[in-house]
């Protein structure tokens, strides 16, 4: 995760730390390299530009602590700016409303939606909730089987969806089934496509208006970099997302999506997927992630 960026940033910041006193020229040189490192990490170019502008302003504005040396001050400024870029603090799932509530998962095929549905069921159960999994991807027969199998492995009740059923009907009927099973949180695994298309969006909008989910998450693949950011923009435009789950962070050495999504869409990353196992889900904490990036 962020391997290359960490290497580049620590090297730039190490150089700065070597100076007793920092001039605007020192800072400008370092920031140029920070910007290059961000672009190489596939951070959106506008985000990278705003980011270095912000650091410069803070560095020259002495928004710093007197106990630190100039080099350390810049490290702190970069750390804080990285955290701000990704959001202020962890934003959890919204589960407000009359029970049972629904969490709607959306995303393209292969993004990790079904896997994330299982991960979230486990996460919610650990928090004392009673999750109910709902396979609503009726176009890919394997998707329904995959979620039913996962549910049985995790011992989580699952709606008995069948290929050919209407996904809106599934989501509507699943509510009563969840209640019968004594469950309080439905996790809707909606259909994905290979790319964003109007039909997919129209179906998701219908499900949203029928079910009124308490939270709507986009599941996006971190390894696709700026594509994930553009997908987040499209889905947010149609559905007004509550947040994003960024999957496959374990395989993403660059980190561009993680660093750009909040700045570009205004929507927080709520969780990251860090592996294929059902336990490989982490609540996303911008401040901890910033420290992780700086090594
Ligand atoms: P869906 O089509 O969106 O439902 O995607 P799936 O849940 O079937 O996932 C597609 C592939 O990505 C599967 O092989 C998953 O095991 C894998 N996958 C999902 N999330 C992660 C993750 O966080 N890390 C890794 N390494 N693989 C993941």
């Amino acid at each position: 995760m962020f391997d290359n960026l960490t290497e580049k940033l620590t090297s730039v910041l190490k150089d700065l730390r070597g100076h007793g006193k920092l001039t605007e020229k020192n800072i400008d040189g370092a920031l140029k390299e920070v910007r290059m490192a961000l672009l190489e990490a596939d951070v959106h170019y506008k985000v990278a530009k705003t980011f270095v502008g912000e650091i410069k302003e803070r560095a020259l504005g002495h928004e710093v602590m007197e106990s630190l040396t100039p080099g350390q001050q810049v490290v702190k400024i970069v750390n804080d700016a990285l955290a701000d870029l990704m959001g202020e603090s962890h934003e959890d799932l919204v589960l407000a409303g009359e029970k049972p509530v629904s969490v709607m998962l959306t995303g393209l095929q292969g993004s990790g939606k079904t896997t994330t549905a299982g991960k979230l069921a486990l996460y919610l159960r650990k928090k004392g909730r009673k999750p109910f999994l709902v396979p609503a991807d009726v176009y890919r027969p394997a998707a329904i089987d995959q979620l039913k199998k996962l549910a049985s492995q995790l011992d989580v009740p699952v709606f008995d969806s069948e290929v050919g059923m209407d996904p809106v009907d599934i989501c509507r009927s699943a509510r009563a089934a969840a209640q019968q099973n004594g469950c309080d949180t439905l996790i809707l695994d909606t259909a994905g496509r290979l790319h964003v298309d109007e039909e997919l969006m129209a179906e998701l909008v219908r499900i949203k208006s029928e079910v009124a989910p308490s939270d709507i998450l986009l599941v996006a693949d971190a390894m696709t970099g700026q594509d994930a950011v553009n997908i987040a923009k499209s889905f947010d435009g149609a559905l007004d997302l509550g947040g994003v789950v960024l999957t496959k962070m374990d395989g993403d050495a660059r980190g561009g999506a993680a660093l750009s999504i909040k700045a570009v869409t205004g929507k927080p990353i709520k969780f990251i997927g860090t592996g294929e196992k059902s336990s490989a889900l982490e609540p996303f904490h911008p401040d901890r992630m910033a420290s992780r990036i700086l090594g």
Side-chain angles (χ1 to χ4, degrees), residues 108-115 119 140 146 247-248 250 273-276:
L108 296 189
Q109 217 174 77
S111 59
K113 226 172 340 85
T114 305
T115 310
K119 289 177 176 180
R140 201 166 61 91
Q146 189 188 340
T247 62
K248 310 186 195 181
D250 50 312
T274 53
E276 296 191 75

Side-chain angles (χ1 to χ4, degrees), residues 14-26:
K14 197 170 153 218
D15 281 352
L16 270 190
R17 264 193 235 131
H19 296 277
K21 198 162 174 277
L22 288 183
T23 63
E24 190 168 347
K25 202 165 156 231
N26 294 142

Side-chain angles (χ1 to χ4, degrees), residues 47 84-88 91 229 232-233 236 240-244 260-270:
V47 174
D84 290 350
L85 186 63
M86 293 182 284
E88 276 142 38
E91 294 201 33
V229 180
K233 235 174 139 178
D236 187 44
D240 189 18
L241 298 171
V244 176
S260 314
I261 280 182
K262 176 77 201 285
V264 173
T265 66
K267 296 302 164 74
I269 296 170
K270 293 194 168 181

Side-chain angles (χ1 to χ4, degrees), residues 161-179:
S161 314
E162 281 171 36
V163 177
M165 285 170 93
D166 174 38
V168 180
D169 282 345
I170 290 180
C171 295
R172 193 187 302 127
S173 314
R175 194 158 193 271
Q179 261 164 333

Side-chain angles (χ1 to χ4, degrees), residues 102-120 132-148 150-151 158-159 161 167-168 170-171 174 186-192 200 203-204 207 215 217 219:
S102 299
V103 174
M104 181 173 168
L105 300 185
T106 66
L108 296 189
Q109 217 174 77
S111 59
K113 226 172 340 85
T114 305
T115 310
T116 302
K119 289 177 176 180
L120 280 175
F132 188 71
L133 286 163
V134 183
D137 182 355
V138 294
Y139 309 107
R140 201 166 61 91
I144 295 181
D145 292 343
Q146 189 188 340
L147 191 60
K148 285 184 178 173
L150 194 57
V158 59
F159 187 70
S161 314
V168 180
I170 290 180
C171 295
L186 289 88
I187 301 170
L188 312 178
D189 183 19
T190 65
L200 165 71
E203 178 177 307
L204 297 175
I207 294 177
D215 211 343
L217 301 177
V219 178

Side-chain angles (χ1 to χ4, degrees), residues 214-231:
S214 60
D215 211 343
I216 305 179
L217 301 177
L218 171 76
V219 178
D221 177 345
M223 301 219 308
T224 63
Q226 285 309 303
D227 279 349
V229 180
N230 292 330
I231 291 162

